[in-house]
Amino acid sequence: MRWLLRLHRPAVLGWTAFVLVAGAALLWLGGPLTDASAAAWKEYNACAFDAPCSYDQDAIVLHKDVYLYTTSAVLVAPFLIAAWAGGSLTGRETESGTVRLAWTQGVTPARWLASRLALPAVLTAASTGLLVWLHRLARTAGEGRIDTAKPWHDVPTFYAGGTVPVALALAGLTGGALAGLLLRRSLAALTTAAVALAGLWAAVHLLLPHLWPTVTRVSDLRTGPSGSGIVVEQGALTADGDRLPSLCGDHAPQDCHTAPIDPDVVGFYRDLHPAAHHWPLHLTASGVLLVVAALLALAAFRVLRLRTAGPAGKDGPA
């Protein structure tokens, strides 16, 4: 393990710096920046509309900017892991041929790959989990205090505040290792791992709303569709309970008041995930991703065995 850390020292130091900077920024965001922005919003809300008003606008803007940057940092972390795993963890060693030297010194290919996945997996889970936890603390610190605070169901906020990034990072680690073994070219494996992880995340994003039963909110014609959260489906309801296509825009419920209404329509429905579904959705999606990560790891071991099996079926350099 010590030799592995020394071999990948630049990546370890770079990742440590990334986690420390992002973590410090999140602590700053959830503490002094949130307090300053909340105070500025309190001053602004106390202003009379017809009188001059003085409030700290810079504090509000700075809080929004730092929140954007730190959220992006949490979300990009799995891609950094995937790119490193593909380009350096296995891709560089198989491309240069140095891995064969390790196999001639009594280290079996299976043990070599296991050593490259075990410690990085622990460090990846711990560091990304720390960033997610700090992000959640920073976001909840501004709830009810900052008028421009992102709601929990804002897409970047939702993903950065749960376990999905941790599971994605582990899937990126094993997927990158597999890409390195298959392509045996560091740059090609790096690119493939990052692109594959993006595709995996897109698939999870489409699947996630259907991983947990939704809650239905019904409202009358005057109110329009009601209920906030992750909206899965919405539309009009007839007196017989039939559902009709949506008559209003997703982000403009007021359009429902002016939209042409079918005579049989008596109200609206909205199928959604409320705030109480935050953790069930994250944990279910993370479980799916961990299964994918395990399958990718098994595929990596299988590929390695096929490429190193000698004539007698024993592991050895190809």
Side-chain angles (χ1 to χ4, degrees), residues 1 5 8-9 26 49 102 105 139 153 164 172 205 207-208 213 229 235 262 269-270 276 279-280 313 317:
M1 293 302 179
L5 291 175
H8 297 280
R9 181 181 298 174
L26 286 167
F49 288 104
Q105 295 179 346
R139 186 190 71 80
H153 53 82
V164 166
H205 179 67
L207 179 65
L208 184 139
D262 188 290
Y269 75 92
R270 176 173 283 173
W279 286 115

Side-chain angles (χ1 to χ4, degrees), residues 4-5 7-13 15 77-93 115-117 119-121 123-124 169 172-177 180 186 189-191 193-194:
L4 179 64
L5 291 175
L7 179 64
H8 297 280
R9 181 181 298 174
V12 172
L13 293 177
W15 177 253
F79 292 93
L80 297 178
I81 294 294
W84 168 75
S88 180
L89 185 62
T90 57
R92 186 176 64 183
E93 289 194 56
S115 68
R116 271 149 183 73
L117 291 178
L119 182 59
L123 296 179
T124 293
L173 175 68
T174 55
S186 57
L190 181 154
T191 305

